[in-house]
């Protein structure tokens, strides 16, 4: 599939619920850069984790035209939050305005550590100038995350 969508004029790609693993996401990540018109990418309800997020947000693969990115209900840990923060780096021409992270398979919530890691990564690596919506429903946050 990855080879068949190369240089395709797709603006939206919904691969939700396809049981994509880190290996499948790595293959997809290599094709994203060639999808210059891609605005929306839905990868919710798959089976990838931090390794997949690392690939998706890597400088060599990340599609700068992406505006709406849904990563809900995957196997992410606070380490993934650092990788997600790279999307907001000042030296990237990212158009990302909506990031969806709701649900986290195998965990009761995202927790303070995830939130603190994500916010720190965004602050230290760049800017929030384009982000308009950050969706993290079912977020479990404690006193440390509020402060």
């Amino acid at each position: 599939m990855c080879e068949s969508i190369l240089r395709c004029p797709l603006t939206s790609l919904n691969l939700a619920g396809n049981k994509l693993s880190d290996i499948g996401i790595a293959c997809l990540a290599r094709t994203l850069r060639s999808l210059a018109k891609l605005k929306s990418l839905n990868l919710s309800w798959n089976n990838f984790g931090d390794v997949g997020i690392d690939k998706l947000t890597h400088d060599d693969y990340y599609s700068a035209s992406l505006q709406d990115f849904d990563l809900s209900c995957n196997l992410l840990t606070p380490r993934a939050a650092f990788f997600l923060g790279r999307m907001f780096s000042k030296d990237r021409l990212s158009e990302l305005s909506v990031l969806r992270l709701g649900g986290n398979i195998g965990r009761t919530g995202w927790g303070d550590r995830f939130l603190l890691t994500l916010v720190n990564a965004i602050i230290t690596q760049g800017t929030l100038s384009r982000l308009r919506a950050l969706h993290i429903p079912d977020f479990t946050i404690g006193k440390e995350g509020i402060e």
Side-chain angles (χ1 to χ4, degrees):
M1 178 196 75
C2 291
E3 290 177 14
S4 64
I5 63 172
L6 283 172
R7 295 186 186 15
C8 195
L10 287 176
T11 59
S12 180
L13 181 59
N14 185 343
L15 294 173
N18 279 286
K19 300 180 184 174
L20 294 171
S21 66
D22 287 324
I23 295 169
I25 290 297
C27 174
L28 176 65
R30 288 189 297 271
T31 66
L32 286 179
R33 179 69 76 169
S34 69
L35 300 175
K37 297 181 184 222
L38 187 66
K39 302 286 184 206
S40 176
L41 179 59
N42 184 345
L43 296 175
S44 63
W45 291 99
N46 280 289
N47 295 318
F48 63 89
D50 299 345
V51 172
I53 293 296
D54 182 22
K55 295 292 184 192
L56 286 168
T57 61
H58 195 274
D59 288 343
D60 294 338
Y61 305 131
Y62 183 72
S63 178
S65 64
L66 196 61
Q67 295 174 359
D68 189 330
F69 199 12
D70 191 339
L71 297 167
S72 303
C73 300
N74 283 291
L75 305 169
L76 308 181
T77 71
R79 185 171 172 227
F82 170 78
F83 299 134
L84 290 169
R86 291 192 299 203
M87 294 186 298
F88 303 99
S89 177
K90 288 180 184 177
D91 60 340
R92 285 197 180 181
L93 301 173
S94 176
E95 295 182 22
L96 188 68
S97 60
V98 179
L99 180 58
R100 302 171 199 277
L101 299 170
N104 196 4
I105 297 173
R107 294 174 179 79
T108 57
W110 292 89
D112 293 345
R113 193 165 151 224
F114 185 89
L115 177 64
L116 294 172
T117 303
L118 180 60
V119 169
N120 185 54
I122 291 170
I123 290 170
T124 59
Q125 294 197 41
T127 177
L128 283 174
S129 63
R130 295 196 187 269
L131 190 66
R132 299 292 177 249
L134 176 60
H135 297 274
I136 312 179
D138 67 352
F139 193 85
T140 303
I141 191 168
K143 184 178 177 184
E144 183 182 354
I146 293 170
E147 295 174 349

